[in-house]
Amino acid sequence: FFFVAGLVPLFPTFALLAHVVVHQERSIEDLKSTILFGMLSLIPYFAYLLSMYFLVGRMPFWVSALSSVALWCVVALPLVYMWRS
């Protein structure tokens, strides 16, 4: 079941902890906002996975990984910027 390694990073351990903290310290509206932003954060993750899928067979693993992480940053930064404004 090597493919389960693709599911394990999506287990919501850190999300659950973050949601508990936001719930205890902020309003329900802030928690909903946090949850919505978490849903949008799947976009950079998808870009990373798609990049890895296409690059991993074309170049060395570490070059593929670093390129995909760079793409994640490129996609994530505008998301954060747009959310803040």
Side-chain angles (χ1 to χ4, degrees), residues 13-26 31 34-35:
T13 305
F14 296 113
L16 181 58
L17 292 172
H19 294 158
V20 167
V21 169
V22 172
H23 172 68
Q24 290 177 341
E25 296 181 4
R26 305 293 298 237
L31 177 57
T34 301
I35 293 166

PDB file of all heavy atoms in Angstrom, residues 13-26 31 34-35:
ATOM      1  N   THR A  13      -4.243  16.546  11.196  1.00  0.00           N
ATOM      2  CA  THR A  13      -3.684  16.724  12.538  1.00  0.00           C
ATOM      3  C   THR A  13      -3.480  18.197  12.869  1.00  0.00           C
ATOM      4  O   THR A  13      -4.002  18.698  13.866  1.00  0.00           O
ATOM      5  CB  THR A  13      -2.344  15.979  12.656  1.00  0.00           C
ATOM      6  OG1 THR A  13      -2.535  14.620  12.297  1.00  0.00           O
ATOM      7  CG2 THR A  13      -1.772  16.086  14.049  1.00  0.00           C
ATOM      8  N   PHE A  14      -2.706  18.891  12.038  1.00  0.00           N
ATOM      9  CA  PHE A  14      -2.390  20.295  12.323  1.00  0.00           C
ATOM     10  C   PHE A  14      -3.605  21.188  12.117  1.00  0.00           C
ATOM     11  O   PHE A  14      -3.788  22.178  12.826  1.00  0.00           O
ATOM     12  CB  PHE A  14      -1.208  20.765  11.480  1.00  0.00           C
ATOM     13  CG  PHE A  14       0.058  20.032  11.818  1.00  0.00           C
ATOM     14  CD1 PHE A  14       0.648  19.176  10.909  1.00  0.00           C
ATOM     15  CD2 PHE A  14       0.632  20.165  13.069  1.00  0.00           C
ATOM     16  CE1 PHE A  14       1.801  18.483  11.229  1.00  0.00           C
ATOM     17  CE2 PHE A  14       1.785  19.485  13.403  1.00  0.00           C
ATOM     18  CZ  PHE A  14       2.373  18.640  12.485  1.00  0.00           C
ATOM     19  N   ALA A  15      -4.444  20.845  11.159  1.00  0.00           N
ATOM     20  CA  ALA A  15      -5.666  21.627  10.938  1.00  0.00           C
ATOM     21  C   ALA A  15      -6.564  21.554  12.166  1.00  0.00           C
ATOM     22  O   ALA A  15      -7.107  22.573  12.614  1.00  0.00           O
ATOM     23  CB  ALA A  15      -6.397  21.126   9.696  1.00  0.00           C
ATOM     24  N   LEU A  16      -6.719  20.368  12.720  1.00  0.00           N
ATOM     25  CA  LEU A  16      -7.556  20.208  13.904  1.00  0.00           C
ATOM     26  C   LEU A  16      -6.999  21.013  15.079  1.00  0.00           C
ATOM     27  O   LEU A  16      -7.748  21.712  15.776  1.00  0.00           O
ATOM     28  CB  LEU A  16      -7.681  18.730  14.274  1.00  0.00           C
ATOM     29  CG  LEU A  16      -8.551  18.408  15.480  1.00  0.00           C
ATOM     30  CD1 LEU A  16      -9.973  18.934  15.277  1.00  0.00           C
ATOM     31  CD2 LEU A  16      -8.573  16.920  15.735  1.00  0.00           C
ATOM     32  N   LEU A  17      -5.700  20.941  15.283  1.00  0.00           N
ATOM     33  CA  LEU A  17      -5.082  21.727  16.361  1.00  0.00           C
ATOM     34  C   LEU A  17      -5.293  23.220  16.135  1.00  0.00           C
ATOM     35  O   LEU A  17      -5.647  23.959  17.060  1.00  0.00           O
ATOM     36  CB  LEU A  17      -3.591  21.411  16.458  1.00  0.00           C
ATOM     37  CG  LEU A  17      -3.235  20.011  16.937  1.00  0.00           C
ATOM     38  CD1 LEU A  17      -1.740  19.774  16.802  1.00  0.00           C
ATOM     39  CD2 LEU A  17      -3.671  19.812  18.374  1.00  0.00           C
ATOM     40  N   ALA A  18      -5.086  23.661  14.900  1.00  0.00           N
ATOM     41  CA  ALA A  18      -5.270  25.079  14.587  1.00  0.00           C
ATOM     42  C   ALA A  18      -6.724  25.492  14.783  1.00  0.00           C
ATOM     43  O   ALA A  18      -6.998  26.582  15.313  1.00  0.00           O
ATOM     44  CB  ALA A  18      -4.827  25.353  13.153  1.00  0.00           C
ATOM     45  N   HIS A  19      -7.654  24.634  14.391  1.00  0.00           N
ATOM     46  CA  HIS A  19      -9.068  24.967  14.551  1.00  0.00           C
ATOM     47  C   HIS A  19      -9.461  25.050  16.020  1.00  0.00           C
ATOM     48  O   HIS A  19     -10.264  25.902  16.401  1.00  0.00           O
ATOM     49  CB  HIS A  19      -9.945  23.956  13.803  1.00  0.00           C
ATOM     50  CG  HIS A  19      -9.761  24.015  12.323  1.00  0.00           C
ATOM     51  ND1 HIS A  19     -10.074  22.960  11.506  1.00  0.00           N
ATOM     52  CD2 HIS A  19      -9.278  24.988  11.516  1.00  0.00           C
ATOM     53  CE1 HIS A  19      -9.796  23.303  10.249  1.00  0.00           C
ATOM     54  NE2 HIS A  19      -9.315  24.528  10.234  1.00  0.00           N
ATOM     55  N   VAL A  20      -8.915  24.176  16.833  1.00  0.00           N
ATOM     56  CA  VAL A  20      -9.192  24.241  18.275  1.00  0.00           C
ATOM     57  C   VAL A  20      -8.693  25.567  18.845  1.00  0.00           C
ATOM     58  O   VAL A  20      -9.404  26.249  19.599  1.00  0.00           O
ATOM     59  CB  VAL A  20      -8.547  23.038  19.010  1.00  0.00           C
ATOM     60  CG1 VAL A  20      -8.555  23.261  20.519  1.00  0.00           C
ATOM     61  CG2 VAL A  20      -9.260  21.750  18.655  1.00  0.00           C
ATOM     62  N   VAL A  21      -7.476  25.959  18.469  1.00  0.00           N
ATOM     63  CA  VAL A  21      -6.913  27.215  18.975  1.00  0.00           C
ATOM     64  C   VAL A  21      -7.750  28.408  18.523  1.00  0.00           C
ATOM     65  O   VAL A  21      -8.094  29.285  19.326  1.00  0.00           O
ATOM     66  CB  VAL A  21      -5.441  27.370  18.531  1.00  0.00           C
ATOM     67  CG1 VAL A  21      -4.923  28.766  18.818  1.00  0.00           C
ATOM     68  CG2 VAL A  21      -4.574  26.322  19.212  1.00  0.00           C
ATOM     69  N   VAL A  22      -8.084  28.463  17.231  1.00  0.00           N
ATOM     70  CA  VAL A  22      -8.888  29.575  16.724  1.00  0.00           C
ATOM     71  C   VAL A  22     -10.261  29.584  17.406  1.00  0.00           C
ATOM     72  O   VAL A  22     -10.760  30.637  17.799  1.00  0.00           O
ATOM     73  CB  VAL A  22      -9.018  29.519  15.183  1.00  0.00           C
ATOM     74  CG1 VAL A  22     -10.003  30.564  14.675  1.00  0.00           C
ATOM     75  CG2 VAL A  22      -7.658  29.711  14.521  1.00  0.00           C
ATOM     76  N   HIS A  23     -10.854  28.415  17.584  1.00  0.00           N
ATOM     77  CA  HIS A  23     -12.164  28.329  18.243  1.00  0.00           C
ATOM     78  C   HIS A  23     -12.104  28.857  19.672  1.00  0.00           C
ATOM     79  O   HIS A  23     -13.030  29.534  20.134  1.00  0.00           O
ATOM     80  CB  HIS A  23     -12.650  26.876  18.237  1.00  0.00           C
ATOM     81  CG  HIS A  23     -13.874  26.657  19.055  1.00  0.00           C
ATOM     82  ND1 HIS A  23     -15.108  27.180  18.722  1.00  0.00           N
ATOM     83  CD2 HIS A  23     -14.060  25.996  20.227  1.00  0.00           C
ATOM     84  CE1 HIS A  23     -15.984  26.837  19.637  1.00  0.00           C
ATOM     85  NE2 HIS A  23     -15.377  26.124  20.562  1.00  0.00           N
ATOM     86  N   GLN A  24     -11.019  28.560  20.374  1.00  0.00           N
ATOM     87  CA  GLN A  24     -10.907  28.984  21.769  1.00  0.00           C
ATOM     88  C   GLN A  24     -10.565  30.462  21.904  1.00  0.00           C
ATOM     89  O   GLN A  24     -10.916  31.088  22.902  1.00  0.00           O
ATOM     90  CB  GLN A  24      -9.855  28.149  22.490  1.00  0.00           C
ATOM     91  CG  GLN A  24     -10.293  26.720  22.705  1.00  0.00           C
ATOM     92  CD  GLN A  24      -9.223  25.865  23.357  1.00  0.00           C
ATOM     93  OE1 GLN A  24      -8.036  26.213  23.353  1.00  0.00           O
ATOM     94  NE2 GLN A  24      -9.627  24.728  23.894  1.00  0.00           N
ATOM     95  N   GLU A  25      -9.880  31.026  20.902  1.00  0.00           N
ATOM     96  CA  GLU A  25      -9.387  32.389  21.053  1.00  0.00           C
ATOM     97  C   GLU A  25     -10.108  33.425  20.194  1.00  0.00           C
ATOM     98  O   GLU A  25      -9.940  34.617  20.427  1.00  0.00           O
ATOM     99  CB  GLU A  25      -7.891  32.431  20.730  1.00  0.00           C
ATOM    100  CG  GLU A  25      -7.069  31.608  21.704  1.00  0.00           C
ATOM    101  CD  GLU A  25      -5.583  31.665  21.406  1.00  0.00           C
ATOM    102  OE1 GLU A  25      -5.180  32.402  20.485  1.00  0.00           O
ATOM    103  OE2 GLU A  25      -4.834  30.966  22.098  1.00  0.00           O
ATOM    104  N   ARG A  26     -10.874  32.969  19.204  1.00  0.00           N
ATOM    105  CA  ARG A  26     -11.499  33.906  18.271  1.00  0.00           C
ATOM    106  C   ARG A  26     -12.980  33.577  18.117  1.00  0.00           C
ATOM    107  O   ARG A  26     -13.511  32.667  18.747  1.00  0.00           O
ATOM    108  CB  ARG A  26     -10.805  33.840  16.901  1.00  0.00           C
ATOM    109  CG  ARG A  26      -9.294  34.051  16.910  1.00  0.00           C
ATOM    110  CD  ARG A  26      -8.918  35.453  17.306  1.00  0.00           C
ATOM    111  NE  ARG A  26      -9.438  36.415  16.370  1.00  0.00           N
ATOM    112  CZ  ARG A  26      -8.722  37.300  15.702  1.00  0.00           C
ATOM    113  NH1 ARG A  26      -7.421  37.331  15.868  1.00  0.00           N
ATOM    114  NH2 ARG A  26      -9.291  38.150  14.888  1.00  0.00           N
ATOM    115  N   LEU A  31     -13.220  31.459  12.774  1.00  0.00           N
ATOM    116  CA  LEU A  31     -12.996  30.033  12.547  1.00  0.00           C
ATOM    117  C   LEU A  31     -13.469  29.642  11.149  1.00  0.00           C
ATOM    118  O   LEU A  31     -12.772  28.927  10.429  1.00  0.00           O
ATOM    119  CB  LEU A  31     -13.710  29.191  13.609  1.00  0.00           C
ATOM    120  CG  LEU A  31     -13.610  27.674  13.453  1.00  0.00           C
ATOM    121  CD1 LEU A  31     -12.160  27.212  13.428  1.00  0.00           C
ATOM    122  CD2 LEU A  31     -14.381  26.975  14.554  1.00  0.00           C
ATOM    123  N   THR A  34     -10.961  30.823   8.703  1.00  0.00           N
ATOM    124  CA  THR A  34      -9.797  29.939   8.732  1.00  0.00           C
ATOM    125  C   THR A  34     -10.061  28.658   7.943  1.00  0.00           C
ATOM    126  O   THR A  34      -9.211  28.192   7.184  1.00  0.00           O
ATOM    127  CB  THR A  34      -9.438  29.585  10.193  1.00  0.00           C
ATOM    128  OG1 THR A  34      -9.175  30.782  10.899  1.00  0.00           O
ATOM    129  CG2 THR A  34      -8.245  28.660  10.268  1.00  0.00           C
ATOM    130  N   ILE A  35     -11.237  28.103   8.112  1.00  0.00           N
ATOM    131  CA  ILE A  35     -11.607  26.873   7.399  1.00  0.00           C
ATOM    132  C   ILE A  35     -11.672  27.130   5.897  1.00  0.00           C
ATOM    133  O   ILE A  35     -11.162  26.336   5.099  1.00  0.00           O
ATOM    134  CB  ILE A  35     -12.941  26.323   7.946  1.00  0.00           C
ATOM    135  CG1 ILE A  35     -12.760  25.844   9.379  1.00  0.00           C
ATOM    136  CG2 ILE A  35     -13.471  25.196   7.050  1.00  0.00           C
ATOM    137  CD1 ILE A  35     -14.064  25.597  10.120  1.00  0.00           C
TER     138      ILE A  35
END
